Structure formats: structure tokens, C-alpha cells
Amino acid sequence: MAEIIYTDFLSVGAGLAGERVAVEAASAGFKCICLSLVPARRSHSSAAQGGMQAALGNCIKGEGDNPEIHFEDTVKGSDWGCDQEVAMLFAKTAPIAIRQLAYWGVPWNRVVPGKSIYYKGGKQLEKEEKQEKWGLITARDFGGTAKWRACYCSDGTGHAMLYTMDSIAVSKGVVVHDRVEALSLIHDGENCLGVVARCLRTGKLRVYLAKATLIATGGFGRIYRASTNAVINEGGGLIIALDTGIVPLGNMEAVQFHPTGIVPGDILVTEGCRGDGGTLLDVNEERFMHIYEPEKAELASRDVVSRRMVEHMRKGLGVKSPYGEHLWLDIRHLGEKHITTKLREVYDICMNFLGINPVHELIPVRPTQHYSMGGIRTNKYGEAYGLKGLFAAGEAACWDMHGFNRLGGNSLAETVVAGMIVGQKVVEFLESCQVSFKTSLVDQELKKQQAKLQRLVSGSGKENVYAVRSAMQDILMDYVGIFRNEKDLQLAVNKLEEVLERARNVKLRSNGLGANAELSLASKIEGMVKLALCVAYGALERKESRGSHAREDFPYRNDRDWWVRTLAYFKEDATLPELKYEPATKEVILPPGDRGYGGAKIIPYDYPKDKPLPNEK
């Protein structure tokens, strides 16, 4: 019999979102446990570089900023795909959250009075910070924003925030069980009661029973071959939710490609490079973004910049290399002092992984899968659809303040803002709930997972799990990228269905004992292919272009027919997800319009139903 551990609150994930919710619950006196694949301070939150968006308006270039402007930027950034009530709630809470982090010890960069230079579009400009703002939290420029709003700690913002948050969690009594992987949710069809998990050190199964369970496992970028995500970001939390058959994933077709992943490693170099004045150059070492986006140039939203880069390379202006075409990121003009202090992680990445010095040399970059706007669909309080007692927060959730494109800095802010809001709801739930744990239900789920693992080790399967993963990644890279079309997406869906059958026929080459990476991958490869199908099939069915979802055969953003959120369900033996739709937002605060960048073609929401659509002519 497996070890059974009881707790009030269980977080699957110990990054910023998971620990922030746990801090809220622990502060109210509840017992809290966080599960993590890695030590808490190695969670992927620590990789966030450039900044956290919060409308403080302290620096001179952010003067006049407020939550309403932040809200408008977020809605426009989402290409009107977000839940506007959530976006407003987020924008109003972010200034509170960032000041709390400062109180807890996050060493935010501060306003230094006096004159200083900055760069925009490669040109040197001058600004003067006010004396009365001395020492207040400052900000840098980020893409798609009307004001400088990205508060930062050089370019190690996520690192500073996570180390601080983990210290606070420890002080509140939150316990982290690291090297533990959740295999499935325990539920009775109505209530979530915890998880069956596997210790990655010993290979033994455990049962965690909890009154409230949170999924905060981050993104699923590793279903793509080229991703800025850490190797642990395989979508484990989304998989165990999807496997219930009753918890939907929202907007899975909305996948963000970041403009500046380095070549060939695809490690992220922060948007702060362009925010601080870095420029993108082509094979001729000439700027080009201002040609496509005269107003925003390099600081249009990520979906727009990534598309423009691909368009430019398609014109033959990319740099040829053994690793594929790329473009250049130029930060040389920012100077050695700036690069080695405010962009020190970028400096280290370039020196250690590329062998180049960005003070004197250009950085090879290309758009790379970076973020998942899709995730476990929740309401504004973080309560997952379908199961009482199940919550989700951070990148693992479709909360949904990002819609079809996330603005840089909004995800780092979301972890702690959603953490506050969801945490308060978790406390409210724990104070009022009565939970009954049926041993028969626990035994049933435990035996199911034991049988699955045994089948992987000694069953009749013939497929190599690494070959299956490679096939899935190839399909997504080839057919479900930045630009999409009917032919490629249909091909992707057909091929992924075949890969799903292979994933169900996997057998280990090893004995599966102990700390076994092959078994860990094999236990979730079927779920990873299901996530890939949710992305590809959702993209195939969504016949419009919105944010990061760019259909070459449907170039218009169709607000009349597609101003909706996709909900994807996956039944146990199905080969395709079941798609349903709900309104993108119940409360319309900012009616759909032009983003102001990206050159969007729009079919208005009041477009006559009997009139042919423009792209049908």
C-alpha cells in the first residue's frame, strides 16, 4: 500500500503561482504542501528575465500610468481574446502585489533622479527623472504598452521574486515535497480530492489527499522541439486535468512564439533587450521592424514582431546558418556597463552558450515557442471548470487575462496577482468545505496508476517513447507554427492521431526502477500528444486570425463568429478532443477595435450575418 499524506491545501507546482497561493492559505492557518519536480527555487519562474508589469507611474516615461491604461494594453495585446473582467481585476491588483513583494524583500530597481540616456529605434535620447521620485520602483519599456511599466531586477526578475517568495513560504510553514510528480487527480466526478504521485527518487507511489488542490505547473512548451521552456515544462498539470474527461482546457491553439530565442540553443534573451533600445537587424545588418510597424517597431506585441521577422526572412533577408535561418539582435550601442548590469543574464547566456560577447557582437535570434496562453479553464477566482475543490493558477491556467497573445511582463505579474486572488478564494473554500475521502476511490485510482506503470515496464507495447516524442515535436514544428493554414493543420491532426496510437503502445527499454527518466516521460507521453492535438485541432477549427493564431487562409480577425474561447475536452479512448465554445468575455468594458499595431484586418462583431465574409470573396 502506498503512503497516504493528508493536507488542507495541495499545490501541484512550487513556482511563483503555487507558492503564492500556498502563502495565502498558510497565513490563514491551513496546512499546505507543494509538490515539485525540482527544488522549489529551480522552478521555471526563476527563468523569467525582463520584468513584471504593474502600473506605478514612478519613472518619467511611465508618468500618468494607471490600471485602466494597463487594462487597455492587456486587452489590445490579447487581440480582444481575454476575459475583460479578469484583465481589469489583474491590472488593479498588480500595483498592490508588487509593493507587497518589495516589502517582502524583492530588490526592485529604483528611480535615480537626474538626466540619463536611453535608446529607442537605435537612436540615443535623453530623459530626466524627478527628484521627488527618488528611490521609488522604476520600470523599463516593453512591447505593446503605452507606458514604461515593466518593473525589474536587472534581468533576473523571476529569480529575485522566486527566491523571495520561497523564503516567505518557508517562514509561513509551507512544506515543499520536491522530486515528486503527480500522475493523476483523485476525484469522484464532482469533487477533487487530491492526487496520486510518484517519488522520482525512489519510484514509489504516494497518495496526497487534500481539501483543496491547485495546479500550478507552468506551461507545456516542450511538446515543441524548439522552445525557450525548461525541460520540465511538459504539461504534466494540464495532462492530469484533461485526463479527467470533465475538466476542459481553454484556448489551447493560442501558442506564443517569442521573437528572441538564441540560435541554436533557443534559450530566451529577454524582451528587456528591445525594451532598453536593442534593435533587430537582417542579413545586411539593417533595421527592418520600423518598415512593418512604423509606430511600435521592435516594441510591437510579441505575436506581431515574430510574424514580421518570419515575413522578412521569407523575403530572403534572413541570415543562413547550419541551424536554419535567423536574424540579428543588436544591443552593442547600449554599452558595456548597461549590458553587464541591467542585462547581465543576457551577457552570461551569450558568453556561455554562444561564445560571443554581446558588447561587441550581434546575437543570432529567431522566433521560438515560449508561452502558452491556453491552460486549465477557470473562473475569475481560479476555480477549475468541472470539479469542485480544484483550482489552477499561473501559466497552467486559462484564467483568462491573456486571450490570444500575452504582453511581456504580464505573466510574471499574473503569478503573484492570481496567487493573491486565487489564494483568498482557496482560504474561503477551506473555511467552509466539508470533504469525505472514500478509501475505495483512492484504492481504485492508485491501482489504475500502478497498472499503467506496470504495463509500460512489462506490457506488450513496441514503441520507443523518445521516438514517439520526436515524431510529435516534428509535426508541431512543421505544421503548427507561427503561420497556419488548413492543409498543414489537417495534416498535423491526421499525423498526431497516428502518433497518439503509438503513444498508447509504448514500452520501456529500461527496467523502470528508481529515478528513471524514461518511465517519467512514458507515463505522460499519451497526455503530451493529447495536448498537441488540442493545439492543432483547435487551430484547425478556428477559422480566423487572432493574436498568436495567424491563419494565412483566414487573415481576418472575425469578431462576428469567433469572438469566443475554445474549450477542449478529451474522453479516455478518443483520438480527438471535443471542442466547445463560450463567449470570450461576459463583461465588455472595451469593445473590439484596432490594436494600433500589427495591421489587423477585422470583421466587426456587428457585421451582418447575411453578408459574405471578406475572405470568402
Side-chain angles (χ1 to χ4, degrees), residues 500-532:
L500 181 59
E501 290 303 313
R502 293 176 60 190
R504 289 168 171 166
N505 193 34
V506 160
K507 183 179 178 180
L508 301 193
R509 269 47 180 174
S510 64
N511 60 18
L513 297 176
N516 189 292
E518 186 187 18
L519 179 57
S520 181
L521 177 59
S523 69
K524 57 179 174 285
I525 188 63
E526 180 181 342
M528 291 173 69
V529 180
K530 286 180 178 178
L531 296 184

Side-chain angles (χ1 to χ4, degrees), residues 119 121-124 276-279 330-335 339 358-359:
Y119 291 86
K123 296 180 180 178
Q124 182 177 309
D276 289 0
T279 55
D330 185 9
I331 59 173
R332 296 172 299 180
H333 50 284
L334 302 183
I339 293 170
V359 175

Side-chain angles (χ1 to χ4, degrees), residues 11-12 34 51 55 128 153 288 310 376 387 431 433 486 537 549:
S11 173
V12 183
C34 295
E128 184 172 1
C153 306
F288 59 89
V310 172
I376 298 164
L387 284 178
E431 288 173 340
C433 77
E486 183 99 13
Y537 191 53
H549 174 66

Side-chain angles (χ1 to χ4, degrees), residues 71 156 161 173 197 228-229 292 301 373 376 457 492 560:
F71 162 78
M161 288 172 65
T228 66
N229 285 197
Y292 300 103
S301 61
M373 278 72 72
I376 298 164
V457 174
R560 187 191 76 179

Side-chain angles (χ1 to χ4, degrees), residues 265-330:
D266 295 304
I267 300 169
L268 176 73
V269 291
T270 176
E271 188 165 317
C273 290
R274 286 172 289 125
D276 289 0
T279 55
L280 291 168
L281 307 180
D282 61 20
V283 67
N284 301 316
E285 297 188 13
E286 295 177 350
R287 285 187 67 221
F288 59 89
M289 276 304 301
H290 63 290
I291 300 170
Y292 300 103
E293 300 293 333
E295 180 65 26
K296 291 285 188 180
E298 279 86 356
L299 287 177
S301 61
R302 289 175 178 177
D303 60 317
V304 171
V305 178
S306 292
R307 282 198 295 276
R308 298 307 195 191
M309 290 172 72
V310 172
E311 288 171 8
H312 203 62
M313 287 189 282
R314 283 178 172 179
K315 293 177 180 178
L317 293 165
V319 181
K320 302 288 191 288
S321 85
Y323 311 104
E325 280 192 89
H326 65 79
L327 294 162
W328 299 114
L329 175 63
D330 185 9

Side-chain angles (χ1 to χ4, degrees), residues 358-371:
V359 175
H360 306 294
E361 299 172 84
L362 300 173
I363 307 170
V365 295
R366 64 182 169 207
T368 305
Q369 193 286 335
H370 176 62
Y371 188 84

